[in-house]
Amino acid sequence: MSLLPLFDPSLLGRAATPALEFERSDGTRLALTFGDLEARSNRLAHTLRARGLKRGDRLAFFLANRVDLIDLWLAGVKLGLIIVPTNVLYRERELRHILTDAEPTAVVTSGDLAAFIPAGVAVWDVDQLAADAAKQPADRVAVACGDQTPVSLIYTSGTTGASKGAVLTHGNFVANARTLVVDWRFTSADRYLCTLPLFHVHGLGNGIHCWLASGCHMRLTERFEHAKAAGWFEEYQPTVFFGVPAMFIRLLEIPLERAQAIGRRLRLAVSGSAPLPAEIHEKFRERYGSVILERYGMTETLMNIGNPYAAERRPGTVGLPFSHVEVKILDEVGAPVADGATGELWVRGTNVCDGYWRRPDATAAAWREGWFRTGDIGSRAADGYITLQGRRSDLIISGGFNIYPREIEEVILEQPGVREATVVGRPDPVRGEVPVAYVVVVADFDEAALKVRLGAQLASFKLPRAYVRVESLPRTALGKIQKHLLPPWKTS
Ligand code: MLC
Ligand code: AMP
């Protein structure tokens, strides 16, 4: 099944029903019905077709949350395009890699972001595109798509190496959305507050798709702003909220009485994308009276494991495999581990993408007979609950955004005066982890210039929180850096 039939009961069947309220950062709002979304995406599909886009073509976007992103996604679904989301915090260097690799026809962006698009890439202004679309007819355009039809190329740092595009199909997203809507008991009466960015699978594959598949109402914001969060919850009165742990940590700052009132309306709060400390799970329950449902997913697989809706949501665990997925935990030689023992998680199911874009080597390394090697380490209790304990690679997750240390190290090493560099994740009370750089420098090292260089080339969440100068980096006899032997980072 493709995505459109999943959305049609909302787009066509509930055409006159209020669907969406988008709040811009300046506080202005736009309200739309499902019928409006159907018409807007049809008009945009006509425009994209007139600009030459056809089934299988890639179209990238580099935008913060806005309604045009939903139009673009739906138009892509209708035309059989492969949409390439990019993180709005990326800078030219990061975008160049994705845009070179994905070879999109164009990247859709806004005027304030256009300066970050690498030279030589076709740039379509989002407002101009919308103005063109407004002149087009509203009748539906749709090409035949099936389970196997790719719909999105989403870049991930994966388990090793440079960022790779996971080729996600209609079938992957349908499997994910169908399970979540049923398991999490979505109905058209729900009110879903979406503050997650739509360029990642958490906001897109879970948030947007649960909303469209259930026909509920959504309040979308440009981004999560913790100073505004209490007001959003109080005014909109959501029944459902999805967040990353950094958001739940911020929500603990809301005064008790207000939090209790919010909690009475909130039937479901889901956390994912990074580990939720058991202590935060407990504090949120005390404050809101609502028990967070923690689940585990990945770009390549969408959602794999989640705590149950109607049974125990066990703090510190990610729960039980979803119905669309099989999970096995293997030791270093590939043998299944006993309950309670630690190993690497492998997953298989209709949610798992088939491979990476134009990377047969990386695909072969991560997939074996339909099973995908997640790179996440964990164990299963005798009653089936799975606990994650870390990752096989040195990936850092900060505020739910992934950081691959080698990428930062490479930019640091380009700076005159740096002889050696390594980057590690260090604990942070809000963001979970933050990157910290350890550098071996020669006399003429200029730290201020290094910071400027990194700020120009890397997304803000990748910038090291500190640069710790060391005499040398601890290495094995073979020269590999032993990150666990680095001195602790002193915050003062
Ligand atoms: C942050 N910024 C954004 C932004 N998020 N700008 C536009 N859109 C966004 N979504 C900018 C801010 O404007 C600010 O810029 C700077 O980044 C720092 O933001 P902050 O609010 O001061 O940081 P913080 O309080 O730490 O909160 C950040 C956060 C953000 C939690 C809101 O990290 C976030 O939205 N995380 C979600 C990540 C996510 O969706 N991950 C899912 C991956 S999918 P300036 O200029 O003011 O400094 C996956 C699979 C799975 O992992 O299982 O789900
Ligand atoms: P991404 O590559 O952005 O899709 O990030 C996927 C990674 O996020 C997974 O491989 C995990 O390491 C991590 N992750 C997602 N959900 C959880 C969770 N609930 N607990 C711990 N880690 C998580």
Side-chain angles (χ1 to χ4, degrees):
M1 179 175 162
S2 65
L3 278 165
L4 207 46
L6 187 74
F7 301 156
D8 275 347
S10 303
L11 294 178
L12 305 179
R14 295 169 61 74
T17 308
L20 166 70
E21 200 172 72
F22 172 59
E23 183 175 307
R24 302 179 187 88
S25 276
D26 65 9
T28 57
R29 291 195 189 155
L30 174 63
L32 297 170
T33 62
F34 285 108
D36 294 332
L37 292 169
E38 165 68 7
R40 287 170 64 108
S41 54
N42 289 340
R43 293 182 201 280
L44 181 60
H46 281 290
T47 307
L48 296 177
R49 211 160 58 170
R51 291 192 183 198
L53 280 170
K54 55 187 189 314
R55 202 174 192 273
D57 285 346
R58 274 85 56 215
L59 181 62
F61 68 75
F62 179 54
L63 290 167
N65 287 358
R66 52 192 286 164
V67 176
D68 310 74
L69 269 188
I70 297 168
D71 300 335
L72 199 64
W73 182 252
L74 288 175
V77 163
K78 289 174 178 177
L79 291 177
L81 305 181
I82 303 179
I83 300 292
V84 187
T86 61
N87 188 322
V88 73
L89 296 169
Y90 284 171
R91 294 298 166 248
E92 186 180 342
R93 175 191 176 103
E94 294 147 318
L95 286 170
R96 182 178 295 114
H97 169 69
I98 294 177
L99 298 174
T100 306
D101 193 63
E103 290 188 312
T105 303
V107 53
V108 180
T109 193
S110 50
D112 56 325
L113 293 169
F116 298 116
I117 308 289
V121 175
V123 175
W124 289 354
D125 179 76
V126 66
D127 294 316
Q128 186 57 52
L129 202 56
D132 287 358
K135 297 179 209 138
Q136 294 290 327
D139 59 308
R140 180 174 273 196
V141 195
V143 306
C145 294
D147 280 18
Q148 303 297 321
T149 312
V151 67
S152 194
L153 197 49
I154 308 191
Y155 280 75
T156 164
S157 42
T159 49
T160 53
S163 178
K164 300 176 281 285
V167 185
L168 287 150
T169 61
H170 282 254
N172 298 143
F173 279 111
V174 168
N176 189 66
R178 277 184 153 171
T179 301
L180 299 188
V181 165
V182 172
D183 283 13
W184 295 348
R185 303 194 184 175
F186 264 87
T187 74
S188 57
D190 273 313
R191 296 172 68 75
Y192 165 56
L193 174 62
C194 182
T195 66
L196 284 162
L198 302 187
F199 45 76
H200 279 315
V201 300
H202 194 169
L204 180 65
N206 292 8
I208 295 297
H209 287 184
C210 283
W211 159 60
L212 287 174
S214 69
C216 73
H217 191 268
M218 176 170 80
R219 160 82 70 92
L220 177 71
T221 67
E222 246 177 71
R223 53 179 301 256
F224 182 82
E225 291 176 75
H226 64 273
K228 291 187 183 169
W232 288 334
F233 275 91
E234 285 169 340
E235 197 227 313
Y236 182 61
Q237 302 191 344
T239 58
V240 178
F241 177 73
F242 296 166
V244 297
M247 295 177 183
F248 288 102
I249 290 169
R250 297 288 196 194
L251 292 178
L252 294 177
E253 292 164 14
I254 296 178
L256 183 64
E257 274 185 24
R258 295 172 71 184
Q260 284 171 335
I262 291 167
R264 281 195 286 277
R265 309 266 182 185
L266 194 63
R267 70 167 186 86
L268 176 65
V270 180
S271 176
S273 310
L276 179 76
E279 181 205 349
I280 304 301
H281 188 282
E282 187 54 29
K283 281 189 174 153
F284 192 85
R285 188 188 60 72
E286 281 168 11
R287 213 165 183 79
Y288 286 81
S290 169
V291 182
I292 295 176
L293 188 158
E294 183 174 4
R295 85 336 172 252
Y296 154 71
M298 289 185 84
T299 301
E300 294 92 328
T301 65
L302 306 175
M303 298 305 111
N304 293 316
I305 303 174
N307 273 275
Y309 186 85
E312 185 195 5
R313 299 179 191 168
R314 193 175 297 169
T317 79
V318 289
L320 309 160
F322 283 115
S323 56
H324 56 238
V325 68
E326 294 169 85
V327 175
K328 61 183 183 182
I329 306 182
L330 304 183
D331 67 14
E332 275 162 16
V333 295
V337 300
D339 285 347
T342 297
E344 183 174 353
L345 273 71
W346 291 67
V347 297
R348 179 167 74 175
T350 43
N351 57 314
V352 180
C353 81
D354 284 342
Y356 296 115
W357 176 253
R358 295 177 178 167
R359 291 290 302 274
D361 51 337
T363 302
W367 274 264
R368 297 273 152 75
E369 290 152 10
W371 288 91
F372 174 72
R373 175 174 207 179
T374 64
D376 289 307
I377 306 296
S379 62
R380 178 171 15 218
D383 61 5
Y385 279 69
I386 293 172
T387 302
L388 297 181
Q389 275 137 5
R391 290 175 296 273
R392 196 163 51 89
S393 72
D394 51 8
L395 182 77
I396 300 167
I397 305 184
S398 188
F401 289 126
N402 287 4
I403 302 170
Y404 192 70
R406 204 169 78 196
E407 187 189 7
I408 309 173
E409 290 161 5
E410 279 168 13
V411 186
I412 297 177
L413 286 167
E414 288 166 10
Q415 175 71 17
V418 178
R419 202 165 59 207
E420 289 184 87
T422 192
V423 172
V424 293
R426 290 290 185 239
D428 178 79
V430 175
R431 304 188 64 87
E433 291 178 287
V434 287
V436 169
Y438 287 76
V439 288
V440 180
V441 298
V442 291
D444 55 353
F445 168 66
D446 181 346
E447 184 170 321
L450 174 61
K451 285 182 178 163
V452 170
R453 177 190 290 264
L454 264 74
Q457 299 199 39
L458 298 173
S460 55
F461 60 87
K462 296 181 188 173
L463 301 179
R465 185 65 68 86
Y467 298 85
V468 183
R469 295 183 198 200
V470 287
E471 290 290 306
S472 62
L473 297 178
R475 290 183 184 273
T476 63
L478 295 174
K480 187 173 162 21
I481 298 171
Q482 295 170 296
K483 293 192 173 188
H484 61 287
L485 296 182
L486 288 164
W489 165 49
K490 295 184 200 64
T491 43
S492 55

